[in-house]
Amino acid sequence: MTPADSAGTPGLARGAIGLREVLFQSVTSMAPAGAVALSIAVGATYAGGALPLAVLLALVACLLVASSIGQLAKHLPSAGSIYTYPAEALHPVIGFLVGWGYALVEALIGPTTTVLVGYLVGSVMHSEFDWPFTATWVVVMIAAAVLIALLNYRGVRVSAQVGTVLGLFEILVFLVLAGWLVVKAGTGNTAAVFTLHFATVEGYQGFSGVAAASIYTVLAFIGFEASAPLAEEARNPRRTIPIAVVASCGAIGVFYVFTTYAGDVFFGPDRYATFGELGNGSPWITLARDVWGIGWVVALFAILNSTFANGNAGTLATTRTWYAMSRIGLLPAALSRTHPRWNSPHIGVLVQLLVTLAIGLPIGLHFGPTTAFVFLATILAGVMIAVYMVFDLSCITYYLRRQRGEFNWLLHLVIPVFGIVAFVPAWLTAMGIGGAVLKFVTPLTYPSSQAGLVIGIWYLIGVAVLVYLYRRHPARLAEMRRVFVDEPH
Protein backbone atom coordinates (compact mmCIF):
# COMPACT_ATOMS: atom_id res chain seq x y z
CA MET A 1 0.00 0.00 0.00
CA THR A 2 1.35 3.42 -0.94
CA PRO A 3 1.43 6.44 1.38
CA ALA A 4 -1.49 7.99 -0.48
CA ASP A 5 -3.49 4.81 -0.24
CA SER A 6 -3.05 4.60 3.47
CA ALA A 7 -4.13 8.16 3.93
CA GLY A 8 -7.59 7.36 2.59
CA THR A 9 -7.66 10.40 0.35
CA PRO A 10 -10.23 10.51 -2.47
CA GLY A 11 -7.67 10.74 -5.29
CA LEU A 12 -7.85 12.55 -8.62
CA ALA A 13 -11.06 12.97 -10.62
CA ARG A 14 -11.04 9.97 -12.98
CA GLY A 15 -12.49 10.52 -16.45
CA ALA A 16 -13.24 14.19 -15.77
CA ILE A 17 -11.92 15.55 -19.08
CA GLY A 18 -11.90 14.49 -22.73
CA LEU A 19 -9.61 14.91 -25.74
CA ARG A 20 -10.42 18.61 -26.23
CA GLU A 21 -9.39 19.60 -22.72
CA VAL A 22 -6.37 17.29 -22.78
CA LEU A 23 -5.26 18.74 -26.13
CA PHE A 24 -5.55 22.32 -24.90
CA GLN A 25 -3.66 21.43 -21.73
CA SER A 26 -0.67 20.90 -24.03
CA VAL A 27 -1.52 23.91 -26.22
CA THR A 28 -1.87 26.37 -23.35
CA SER A 29 1.20 24.92 -21.63
CA MET A 30 3.17 26.09 -24.67
CA ALA A 31 1.56 29.56 -24.41
CA PRO A 32 1.52 30.12 -28.20
CA ALA A 33 1.02 33.89 -28.31
CA GLY A 34 3.24 34.52 -25.32
CA ALA A 35 5.95 32.29 -26.75
CA VAL A 36 5.93 34.12 -30.09
CA ALA A 37 5.94 37.53 -28.42
CA LEU A 38 8.46 36.78 -25.68
CA SER A 39 10.55 33.59 -25.59
CA ILE A 40 11.00 33.19 -29.36
CA ALA A 41 11.68 36.93 -29.67
CA VAL A 42 14.61 36.50 -27.25
CA GLY A 43 16.18 34.16 -29.80
CA ALA A 44 16.48 37.03 -32.30
CA THR A 45 19.30 38.41 -30.15
CA TYR A 46 21.41 35.42 -31.19
CA ALA A 47 20.05 34.23 -34.57
CA GLY A 48 19.10 37.59 -36.04
CA GLY A 49 17.06 37.24 -39.23
CA ALA A 50 17.67 33.47 -39.27
CA LEU A 51 15.31 33.01 -36.32
CA PRO A 52 12.66 31.16 -38.41
CA LEU A 53 15.32 28.52 -39.13
CA ALA A 54 15.85 28.05 -35.37
CA VAL A 55 12.08 27.67 -34.94
CA LEU A 56 11.91 25.11 -37.75
CA LEU A 57 14.75 23.06 -36.24
CA ALA A 58 13.02 23.15 -32.84
CA LEU A 59 9.78 21.96 -34.45
CA VAL A 60 11.51 18.96 -36.02
CA ALA A 61 13.28 18.01 -32.79
CA CYS A 62 10.12 18.36 -30.69
CA LEU A 63 7.98 16.41 -33.17
CA LEU A 64 10.47 13.56 -32.92
CA VAL A 65 10.25 13.44 -29.13
CA ALA A 66 6.47 13.94 -29.25
CA SER A 67 6.28 10.73 -31.27
CA SER A 68 8.32 8.93 -28.60
CA ILE A 69 6.14 10.27 -25.78
CA GLY A 70 3.01 9.20 -27.64
CA GLN A 71 4.38 5.69 -28.06
CA LEU A 72 5.19 5.46 -24.35
CA ALA A 73 1.84 6.92 -23.26
CA LYS A 74 -0.03 4.12 -25.05
CA HIS A 75 1.28 1.64 -22.49
CA LEU A 76 2.12 3.82 -19.48
CA PRO A 77 -0.76 6.26 -18.81
CA SER A 78 -0.08 7.76 -15.38
CA ALA A 79 -0.04 11.08 -13.55
CA GLY A 80 3.62 10.28 -12.98
CA SER A 81 4.19 9.84 -16.72
CA ILE A 82 7.23 12.09 -16.81
CA TYR A 83 9.17 9.82 -14.48
CA THR A 84 7.24 6.57 -15.12
CA TYR A 85 8.51 6.36 -18.70
CA PRO A 86 12.26 6.29 -17.89
CA ALA A 87 11.71 4.37 -14.63
CA GLU A 88 10.05 1.52 -16.50
CA ALA A 89 12.15 1.69 -19.67
CA LEU A 90 15.58 2.39 -18.18
CA HIS A 91 15.86 2.28 -14.38
CA PRO A 92 14.03 3.79 -11.38
CA VAL A 93 17.12 5.92 -10.64
CA ILE A 94 16.80 7.59 -14.05
CA GLY A 95 13.07 7.96 -13.46
CA PHE A 96 13.70 9.72 -10.18
CA LEU A 97 16.27 12.11 -11.68
CA VAL A 98 13.89 12.94 -14.54
CA GLY A 99 11.05 13.52 -12.08
CA TRP A 100 13.36 15.64 -9.93
CA GLY A 101 14.29 17.81 -12.89
CA TYR A 102 10.70 18.07 -14.09
CA ALA A 103 9.60 19.09 -10.61
CA LEU A 104 11.99 22.04 -10.88
CA VAL A 105 10.90 22.91 -14.42
CA GLU A 106 7.19 22.93 -13.70
CA ALA A 107 7.68 24.76 -10.40
CA LEU A 108 9.54 27.52 -12.29
CA ILE A 109 6.76 27.95 -14.84
CA GLY A 110 4.70 29.70 -12.15
CA PRO A 111 7.22 32.48 -11.42
CA THR A 112 8.31 32.71 -15.06
CA THR A 113 4.79 33.31 -16.39
CA THR A 114 3.48 35.51 -13.58
CA VAL A 115 6.58 37.73 -13.74
CA LEU A 116 5.79 38.19 -17.44
CA VAL A 117 2.15 39.01 -16.80
CA GLY A 118 3.28 41.60 -14.27
CA TYR A 119 5.86 43.03 -16.66
CA LEU A 120 3.43 43.34 -19.57
CA VAL A 121 0.78 45.13 -17.55
CA GLY A 122 3.34 47.25 -15.69
CA SER A 123 5.11 48.42 -18.85
CA VAL A 124 1.88 49.27 -20.68
CA MET A 125 0.32 51.08 -17.73
CA HIS A 126 3.56 52.99 -17.17
CA SER A 127 3.87 54.12 -20.79
CA GLU A 128 0.17 54.87 -21.28
CA PHE A 129 -0.84 56.27 -17.89
CA ASP A 130 2.48 56.86 -16.09
CA TRP A 131 1.72 54.31 -13.35
CA PRO A 132 4.77 53.36 -11.24
CA PHE A 133 6.32 50.42 -13.11
CA THR A 134 7.79 48.36 -10.28
CA ALA A 135 4.80 48.63 -7.96
CA THR A 136 2.40 47.78 -10.80
CA TRP A 137 4.19 44.67 -12.04
CA VAL A 138 4.65 43.34 -8.50
CA VAL A 139 0.96 43.76 -7.62
CA VAL A 140 -0.20 42.27 -10.93
CA MET A 141 2.18 39.32 -10.56
CA ILE A 142 0.84 38.50 -7.10
CA ALA A 143 -2.76 38.83 -8.31
CA ALA A 144 -2.09 36.53 -11.29
CA ALA A 145 -0.44 33.91 -9.05
CA VAL A 146 -3.39 33.93 -6.64
CA LEU A 147 -5.98 33.67 -9.45
CA ILE A 148 -4.13 30.70 -11.02
CA ALA A 149 -4.05 29.00 -7.63
CA LEU A 150 -7.80 29.54 -7.16
CA LEU A 151 -8.57 28.04 -10.59
CA ASN A 152 -6.46 24.97 -9.88
CA TYR A 153 -7.85 24.61 -6.36
CA ARG A 154 -11.31 24.38 -7.90
CA GLY A 155 -10.36 21.26 -9.86
CA VAL A 156 -9.15 19.98 -13.23
CA ARG A 157 -12.45 20.38 -15.12
CA VAL A 158 -12.76 24.13 -14.50
CA SER A 159 -9.08 24.94 -15.04
CA ALA A 160 -8.88 22.80 -18.21
CA GLN A 161 -12.03 24.36 -19.68
CA VAL A 162 -10.67 27.84 -19.01
CA GLY A 163 -7.46 26.81 -20.77
CA THR A 164 -9.42 25.70 -23.85
CA VAL A 165 -11.18 29.05 -24.24
CA LEU A 166 -8.02 31.08 -23.62
CA GLY A 167 -6.00 28.96 -26.04
CA LEU A 168 -8.42 29.41 -28.93
CA PHE A 169 -8.53 33.19 -28.46
CA GLU A 170 -4.77 33.77 -28.49
CA ILE A 171 -4.16 31.55 -31.52
CA LEU A 172 -6.84 33.27 -33.59
CA VAL A 173 -5.58 36.78 -32.78
CA PHE A 174 -1.96 36.01 -33.66
CA LEU A 175 -2.81 34.15 -36.85
CA VAL A 176 -4.75 37.17 -38.10
CA LEU A 177 -1.97 39.56 -37.03
CA ALA A 178 0.73 37.43 -38.69
CA GLY A 179 -1.23 37.21 -41.92
CA TRP A 180 -1.60 40.99 -41.87
CA LEU A 181 2.18 41.41 -41.44
CA VAL A 182 2.99 39.06 -44.32
CA VAL A 183 0.72 41.05 -46.65
CA LYS A 184 2.21 44.36 -45.44
CA ALA A 185 5.75 43.04 -45.96
CA GLY A 186 5.07 42.80 -49.70
CA THR A 187 8.34 42.33 -51.57
CA GLY A 188 10.13 41.83 -48.25
CA ASN A 189 8.91 38.24 -48.13
CA THR A 190 11.85 35.87 -48.60
CA ALA A 191 12.73 32.24 -47.95
CA ALA A 192 16.29 33.27 -47.07
CA VAL A 193 15.24 33.58 -43.41
CA PHE A 194 15.19 29.77 -43.33
CA THR A 195 18.92 29.67 -44.14
CA LEU A 196 22.06 31.00 -42.39
CA HIS A 197 22.12 34.03 -44.72
CA PHE A 198 20.87 36.41 -42.01
CA ALA A 199 22.65 34.70 -39.06
CA THR A 200 25.09 37.59 -38.75
CA VAL A 201 24.91 38.67 -35.08
CA GLU A 202 28.38 39.62 -33.84
CA GLY A 203 29.85 36.78 -31.78
CA TYR A 204 27.10 34.39 -32.91
CA GLN A 205 27.59 34.20 -36.66
CA GLY A 206 26.30 31.20 -38.57
CA PHE A 207 25.10 28.05 -36.84
CA SER A 208 26.34 29.16 -33.39
CA GLY A 209 23.67 31.87 -33.43
CA VAL A 210 20.98 29.41 -34.50
CA ALA A 211 22.09 26.97 -31.77
CA ALA A 212 21.91 29.70 -29.10
CA ALA A 213 18.51 30.85 -30.37
CA SER A 214 17.30 27.24 -30.33
CA ILE A 215 17.35 27.33 -26.53
CA TYR A 216 14.50 29.83 -26.66
CA THR A 217 12.69 28.34 -29.65
CA VAL A 218 12.70 24.93 -27.92
CA LEU A 219 11.49 26.77 -24.81
CA ALA A 220 8.45 27.83 -26.82
CA PHE A 221 7.56 24.16 -27.32
CA ILE A 222 8.04 23.11 -23.71
CA GLY A 223 4.63 22.06 -22.47
CA PHE A 224 3.45 19.92 -25.37
CA GLU A 225 4.08 16.96 -23.05
CA ALA A 226 2.04 18.56 -20.23
CA SER A 227 -1.09 16.60 -21.12
CA ALA A 228 0.65 13.35 -20.12
CA PRO A 229 0.36 13.98 -16.34
CA LEU A 230 -3.44 14.28 -16.80
CA ALA A 231 -3.68 10.60 -17.84
CA GLU A 232 -5.52 9.60 -14.66
CA GLU A 233 -8.13 12.33 -15.13
CA ALA A 234 -8.65 11.85 -18.90
CA ARG A 235 -11.13 9.58 -20.60
CA ASN A 236 -9.49 6.82 -22.66
CA PRO A 237 -5.97 8.09 -21.85
CA ARG A 238 -4.16 5.47 -23.96
CA ARG A 239 -5.68 7.17 -27.00
CA THR A 240 -6.18 10.80 -25.96
CA ILE A 241 -2.71 11.43 -24.50
CA PRO A 242 -0.73 10.33 -27.60
CA ILE A 243 -3.03 12.32 -29.89
CA ALA A 244 -2.80 15.43 -27.71
CA VAL A 245 0.99 15.34 -27.42
CA VAL A 246 1.73 14.89 -31.13
CA ALA A 247 -1.11 17.08 -32.49
CA SER A 248 -0.38 20.01 -30.18
CA CYS A 249 3.33 19.95 -30.99
CA GLY A 250 2.75 19.80 -34.74
CA ALA A 251 -0.04 22.36 -34.96
CA ILE A 252 1.55 24.94 -32.66
CA GLY A 253 4.92 24.35 -34.32
CA VAL A 254 3.46 25.40 -37.67
CA PHE A 255 1.89 28.40 -35.89
CA TYR A 256 5.33 29.36 -34.53
CA VAL A 257 7.03 29.08 -37.90
CA PHE A 258 4.39 31.22 -39.62
CA THR A 259 4.19 33.95 -36.99
CA THR A 260 7.97 34.20 -36.56
CA TYR A 261 8.40 34.41 -40.32
CA ALA A 262 5.77 37.17 -40.47
CA GLY A 263 7.46 39.28 -37.80
CA ASP A 264 10.86 38.76 -39.40
CA VAL A 265 10.00 39.79 -42.95
CA PHE A 266 7.84 42.73 -41.79
CA PHE A 267 10.47 44.16 -39.42
CA GLY A 268 13.39 43.34 -41.72
CA PRO A 269 15.67 40.30 -41.37
CA ASP A 270 18.83 42.37 -41.79
CA ARG A 271 18.08 44.24 -38.54
CA TYR A 272 16.12 41.53 -36.74
CA ALA A 273 18.78 41.10 -34.04
CA THR A 274 17.36 44.24 -32.38
CA PHE A 275 13.77 42.98 -32.61
CA GLY A 276 13.55 42.07 -28.91
CA GLU A 277 14.33 45.66 -27.92
CA LEU A 278 11.36 47.02 -29.88
CA GLY A 279 8.66 48.57 -27.69
CA ASN A 280 10.83 48.30 -24.56
CA GLY A 281 10.79 44.52 -24.76
CA SER A 282 7.27 44.14 -26.19
CA PRO A 283 7.99 43.97 -29.94
CA TRP A 284 4.75 42.33 -31.02
CA ILE A 285 2.66 44.98 -29.33
CA THR A 286 4.60 47.56 -31.36
CA LEU A 287 3.98 45.59 -34.57
CA ALA A 288 0.28 45.48 -33.75
CA ARG A 289 0.30 49.27 -33.23
CA ASP A 290 1.91 49.72 -36.64
CA VAL A 291 -0.72 47.75 -38.55
CA TRP A 292 -3.82 47.89 -36.32
CA GLY A 293 -3.58 51.24 -34.55
CA ILE A 294 -5.68 51.06 -31.39
CA GLY A 295 -6.18 47.38 -32.18
CA TRP A 296 -2.83 46.75 -30.46
CA VAL A 297 -4.89 46.32 -27.31
CA VAL A 298 -6.28 43.06 -28.73
CA ALA A 299 -2.72 41.76 -29.21
CA LEU A 300 -1.86 42.77 -25.65
CA PHE A 301 -4.85 40.85 -24.30
CA ALA A 302 -3.85 37.81 -26.40
CA ILE A 303 -0.32 37.84 -24.97
CA LEU A 304 -1.55 38.37 -21.41
CA ASN A 305 -4.14 35.65 -21.87
CA SER A 306 -1.50 33.31 -23.30
CA THR A 307 0.95 33.87 -20.47
CA PHE A 308 -1.74 33.49 -17.82
CA ALA A 309 -3.04 30.30 -19.47
CA ASN A 310 0.53 28.97 -19.51
CA GLY A 311 0.80 29.54 -15.76
CA ASN A 312 -2.55 27.82 -15.24
CA ALA A 313 -1.57 24.78 -17.34
CA GLY A 314 1.85 24.67 -15.71
CA THR A 315 0.30 24.48 -12.26
CA LEU A 316 -1.94 21.63 -13.44
CA ALA A 317 1.09 19.64 -14.62
CA THR A 318 3.24 20.57 -11.62
CA THR A 319 0.76 19.53 -8.98
CA ARG A 320 -0.05 16.24 -10.77
CA THR A 321 3.65 15.36 -10.98
CA TRP A 322 4.12 16.23 -7.30
CA TYR A 323 0.98 14.25 -6.48
CA ALA A 324 2.32 11.17 -8.27
CA MET A 325 5.76 11.39 -6.65
CA SER A 326 4.23 11.97 -3.22
CA ARG A 327 1.80 9.08 -3.66
CA ILE A 328 4.73 6.66 -3.76
CA GLY A 329 6.66 8.37 -0.98
CA LEU A 330 9.27 10.29 -2.99
CA LEU A 331 7.98 13.69 -1.89
CA PRO A 332 6.21 14.77 1.34
CA ALA A 333 2.89 12.94 1.82
CA ALA A 334 0.92 16.21 2.04
CA LEU A 335 1.38 16.75 -1.71
CA SER A 336 -0.72 13.64 -2.43
CA ARG A 337 -3.74 14.94 -0.56
CA THR A 338 -6.74 15.85 -2.70
CA HIS A 339 -9.68 18.08 -1.90
CA PRO A 340 -12.72 16.05 -0.72
CA ARG A 341 -15.04 17.98 -3.04
CA TRP A 342 -12.97 19.20 -6.00
CA ASN A 343 -10.54 16.25 -6.19
CA SER A 344 -7.71 18.71 -6.77
CA PRO A 345 -4.28 18.25 -5.13
CA HIS A 346 -5.02 21.38 -3.10
CA ILE A 347 -1.97 21.24 -0.84
CA GLY A 348 0.24 21.10 -3.93
CA VAL A 349 -1.62 24.07 -5.41
CA LEU A 350 -0.91 26.14 -2.29
CA VAL A 351 2.74 25.07 -2.28
CA GLN A 352 3.05 26.08 -5.94
CA LEU A 353 1.62 29.51 -5.09
CA LEU A 354 4.24 29.99 -2.37
CA VAL A 355 7.04 28.79 -4.67
CA THR A 356 5.89 31.19 -7.40
CA LEU A 357 6.04 34.19 -5.09
CA ALA A 358 9.21 33.12 -3.26
CA ILE A 359 11.17 32.72 -6.52
CA GLY A 360 9.53 35.21 -8.86
CA LEU A 361 9.47 38.29 -6.64
CA PRO A 362 13.11 38.41 -5.44
CA ILE A 363 14.62 37.42 -8.81
CA GLY A 364 12.32 39.82 -10.67
CA LEU A 365 13.16 42.68 -8.32
CA HIS A 366 16.90 41.96 -8.45
CA PHE A 367 17.39 41.53 -12.21
CA GLY A 368 14.25 43.20 -13.49
CA PRO A 369 11.31 41.19 -14.84
CA THR A 370 12.56 40.74 -18.42
CA THR A 371 16.04 39.57 -17.45
CA ALA A 372 14.50 37.37 -14.75
CA PHE A 373 12.31 35.76 -17.43
CA VAL A 374 15.27 35.00 -19.71
CA PHE A 375 17.29 33.59 -16.79
CA LEU A 376 14.49 31.32 -15.56
CA ALA A 377 13.64 30.35 -19.14
CA THR A 378 17.22 29.20 -19.81
CA ILE A 379 17.10 26.97 -16.72
CA LEU A 380 13.78 25.53 -17.90
CA ALA A 381 15.14 24.82 -21.35
CA GLY A 382 18.37 23.27 -20.08
CA VAL A 383 16.49 20.72 -17.95
CA MET A 384 13.70 19.95 -20.40
CA ILE A 385 15.94 19.40 -23.40
CA ALA A 386 17.80 16.75 -21.39
CA VAL A 387 14.46 15.23 -20.29
CA TYR A 388 13.30 15.08 -23.91
CA MET A 389 16.45 13.20 -24.89
CA VAL A 390 15.82 10.72 -22.07
CA PHE A 391 12.25 10.22 -23.37
CA ASP A 392 13.66 9.36 -26.80
CA LEU A 393 16.07 6.86 -25.25
CA SER A 394 13.24 5.45 -23.09
CA CYS A 395 11.13 4.81 -26.18
CA ILE A 396 13.92 2.75 -27.73
CA THR A 397 14.63 0.65 -24.64
CA TYR A 398 10.98 0.22 -23.62
CA TYR A 399 9.96 -1.33 -26.93
CA LEU A 400 13.11 -3.43 -27.11
CA ARG A 401 12.74 -4.72 -23.55
CA ARG A 402 9.01 -4.63 -22.73
CA GLN A 403 7.08 -4.59 -26.00
CA ARG A 404 9.32 -6.41 -28.44
CA GLY A 405 6.35 -7.78 -30.33
CA GLU A 406 5.26 -4.22 -31.24
CA PHE A 407 8.77 -2.94 -32.06
CA ASN A 408 8.86 -0.77 -35.18
CA TRP A 409 12.23 0.29 -36.60
CA LEU A 410 10.99 3.75 -37.63
CA LEU A 411 8.87 4.66 -34.59
CA HIS A 412 10.98 3.01 -31.92
CA LEU A 413 14.54 3.46 -33.17
CA VAL A 414 15.11 5.82 -36.10
CA ILE A 415 12.85 8.65 -34.89
CA PRO A 416 14.09 8.57 -31.25
CA VAL A 417 17.77 8.52 -32.33
CA PHE A 418 17.29 11.50 -34.63
CA GLY A 419 15.38 13.21 -31.81
CA ILE A 420 18.34 12.88 -29.45
CA VAL A 421 20.80 14.17 -32.06
CA ALA A 422 18.57 17.16 -32.91
CA PHE A 423 18.57 18.41 -29.32
CA VAL A 424 22.33 18.20 -28.66
CA PRO A 425 23.37 21.68 -29.96
CA ALA A 426 20.74 23.59 -27.95
CA TRP A 427 21.40 21.55 -24.79
CA LEU A 428 25.18 22.04 -24.88
CA THR A 429 24.73 25.77 -25.45
CA ALA A 430 22.19 26.12 -22.61
CA MET A 431 24.48 24.24 -20.22
CA GLY A 432 27.56 26.14 -21.38
CA ILE A 433 29.62 23.02 -22.00
CA GLY A 434 31.56 21.63 -24.95
CA GLY A 435 32.76 24.99 -26.28
CA ALA A 436 36.40 23.85 -26.31
CA VAL A 437 35.53 21.09 -28.78
CA LEU A 438 32.47 22.33 -30.70
CA LYS A 439 32.71 25.71 -32.39
CA PHE A 440 28.96 26.36 -32.35
CA VAL A 441 28.81 26.36 -28.52
CA THR A 442 29.10 30.03 -27.58
CA PRO A 443 28.56 31.28 -23.99
CA LEU A 444 25.28 33.05 -23.32
CA THR A 445 25.08 36.48 -21.68
CA TYR A 446 24.82 36.89 -17.89
CA PRO A 447 22.82 35.76 -15.88
CA SER A 448 21.64 33.12 -18.37
CA SER A 449 25.24 31.88 -18.55
CA GLN A 450 24.78 30.63 -14.97
CA ALA A 451 21.88 28.33 -15.84
CA GLY A 452 24.15 25.29 -16.01
CA LEU A 453 25.43 26.02 -12.51
CA VAL A 454 21.91 26.29 -11.10
CA ILE A 455 20.86 23.05 -12.77
CA GLY A 456 23.98 21.32 -11.47
CA ILE A 457 23.26 22.41 -7.89
CA TRP A 458 19.65 21.23 -8.16
CA TYR A 459 20.78 17.82 -9.32
CA LEU A 460 23.39 17.54 -6.58
CA ILE A 461 20.53 17.99 -4.10
CA GLY A 462 18.56 15.39 -6.06
CA VAL A 463 21.41 12.90 -5.85
CA ALA A 464 21.56 13.43 -2.07
CA VAL A 465 17.81 12.74 -1.82
CA LEU A 466 18.29 9.67 -4.02
CA VAL A 467 21.02 8.31 -1.74
CA TYR A 468 18.75 8.83 1.27
CA LEU A 469 15.91 6.96 -0.42
CA TYR A 470 18.18 4.09 -1.39
CA ARG A 471 19.42 3.73 2.17
CA ARG A 472 16.16 4.26 4.05
CA HIS A 473 13.28 3.51 1.62
CA PRO A 474 14.58 1.53 -1.40
CA ALA A 475 11.13 0.06 -2.17
CA ARG A 476 9.76 3.51 -2.98
CA LEU A 477 11.95 3.89 -6.04
CA ALA A 478 10.54 0.70 -7.54
CA GLU A 479 7.06 2.22 -7.13
CA MET A 480 7.93 4.73 -9.87
CA ARG A 481 7.18 2.00 -12.41
CA ARG A 482 3.55 1.67 -11.34
CA VAL A 483 0.76 2.71 -13.66
CA PHE A 484 -2.26 3.68 -11.60
CA VAL A 485 -4.81 4.44 -14.28
CA ASP A 486 -6.09 0.88 -14.55
CA GLU A 487 -6.09 0.15 -10.84
CA PRO A 488 -9.15 0.28 -8.58
CA HIS A 489 -9.93 3.76 -7.36
Side-chain angles (χ1 to χ4, degrees):
M1 183 175 288
T2 67
D5 294 332
S6 61
T9 55
L12 299 174
R14 298 292 175 89
I17 53 177
L19 176 59
R20 182 187 62 188
E21 291 84 5
V22 173
L23 175 65
F24 273 90
Q25 164 68 7
S26 285
V27 169
T28 54
S29 289
M30 287 186 278
V36 169
L38 300 162
S39 60
I40 292 178
V42 172
T45 305
Y46 300 103
L51 186 60
L53 174 61
V55 176
L56 189 60
L57 293 177
L59 169 59
V60 172
C62 289
L63 271 177
L64 293 173
V65 75
S67 172
S68 295
I69 294 172
Q71 292 300 307
L72 291 165
K74 290 197 303 183
H75 292 283
L76 302 170
S78 170
S81 55
I82 300 306
Y83 66 71
T84 301
Y85 301 157
E88 175 65 18
L90 299 169
H91 194 279
V93 168
I94 305 300
F96 173 82
L97 293 175
V98 167
W100 183 258
Y102 196 73
L104 171 65
V105 165
E106 291 297 333
L108 290 182
I109 286 180
T112 303
T113 54
T114 53
V115 161
L116 275 181
V117 170
Y119 163 73
L120 288 167
V121 175
S123 61
V124 169
M125 299 309 287
H126 177 70
S127 61
E128 298 294 325
F129 305 106
D130 201 29
W131 286 21
F133 172 69
T134 301
T136 302
W137 83 254
V138 167
V139 170
V140 172
M141 177 202 166
I142 295 172
V146 171
L147 183 54
I148 288 170
L150 289 174
L151 277 173
N152 277 266
Y153 194 93
R154 177 60 176 77
V156 67
R157 182 177 285 111
V158 170
S159 49
Q161 288 174 347
V162 169
T164 300
V165 175
L166 297 183
L168 284 171
F169 172 73
E170 66 183 270
I171 291 170
L172 178 61
V173 169
F174 263 71
L175 281 176
V176 173
L177 177 56
W180 213 295
L181 295 176
V182 168
V183 172
K184 287 283 187 178
T187 57
N189 283 280
T190 173
V193 295
F194 292 103
T195 71
L196 296 177
H197 180 74
F198 291 107
T200 56
V201 177
E202 185 176 355
Y204 296 92
Q205 289 93 345
F207 188 71
S208 64
V210 173
S214 293
I215 298 170
Y216 304 101
T217 57
V218 170
L219 174 69
F221 284 89
I222 290 176
F224 69 83
E225 80 294 333
S227 57
L230 300 187
E232 295 178 38
E233 296 161 284
R235 295 186 288 275
N236 194 9
R238 297 180 190 276
R239 174 180 175 272
T240 55
I241 299 301
I243 290 175
V245 170
V246 176
S248 63
C249 182
I252 298 305
V254 173
F255 170 84
Y256 286 157
V257 171
F258 177 59
T259 51
T260 304
Y261 170 83
D264 195 346
V265 296
F266 179 81
F267 186 72
D270 54 337
R271 59 192 185 105
Y272 203 61
T274 62
F275 181 69
E277 303 168 8
L278 191 65
N280 293 319
S282 301
W284 277 84
I285 293 177
T286 300
L287 294 186
R289 281 182 187 270
D290 290 344
V291 297
W292 283 354
I294 192 63
W296 69 269
V297 176
V298 178
L300 171 63
F301 277 126
I303 298 170
L304 281 173
N305 151 87
S306 179
T307 309
F308 178 84
N310 185 198
N312 177 59
T315 298
L316 271 175
T318 304
T319 52
R320 271 60 184 178
T321 302
W322 290 353
Y323 168 89
M325 295 183 75
S326 173
R327 175 173 56 186
I328 58 176
L330 298 180
L331 290 178
L335 295 175
S336 66
R337 295 177 188 168
T338 52
H339 194 280
R341 181 178 180 186
W342 309 123
N343 296 104
S344 62
H346 59 302
I347 302 299
V349 171
L350 295 176
V351 171
Q352 174 64 59
L353 172 61
L354 294 176
V355 168
T356 295
L357 298 178
I359 293 177
L361 283 174
I363 293 181
L365 288 169
H366 179 71
F367 290 114
T370 51
T371 302
F373 162 72
V374 176
F375 175 48
L376 293 174
T378 307
I379 297 171
L380 290 173
V383 175
M384 280 308 300
I385 290 171
V387 169
Y388 288 156
M389 289 191 287
V390 172
F391 287 163
D392 279 320
L393 180 60
S394 297
C395 183
I396 297 171
T397 56
Y398 179 78
Y399 277 88
L400 283 174
R401 296 173 59 190
R402 310 292 185 189
Q403 300 292 336
R404 192 60 182 265
E406 296 183 22
F407 183 81
N408 179 289
W409 285 95
L410 177 62
L411 291 175
H412 307 136
L413 182 62
V414 175
I415 287 177
V417 167
F418 274 101
I420 293 171
V421 172
F423 279 119
V424 168
W427 184 72
L428 292 176
T429 304
M431 297 297 291
I433 56 178
V437 179
L438 301 170
K439 292 183 179 180
F440 63 78
V441 178
T442 306
L444 301 174
T445 55
Y446 181 83
S448 297
S449 57
Q450 304 303 304
L453 176 62
V454 174
I455 294 169
I457 292 172
W458 177 253
Y459 269 99
L460 282 176
I461 298 172
V463 169
V465 173
L466 183 61
V467 171
Y468 166 79
L469 290 169
Y470 251 117
R471 296 186 63 180
R472 299 294 298 273
H473 307 286
R476 293 183 182 178
L477 289 170
E479 287 285 292
M480 301 187 78
R481 293 174 169 173
R482 291 182 65 188
V483 177
F484 289 76
V485 76
D486 294 325
E487 297 180 3
H489 186 30

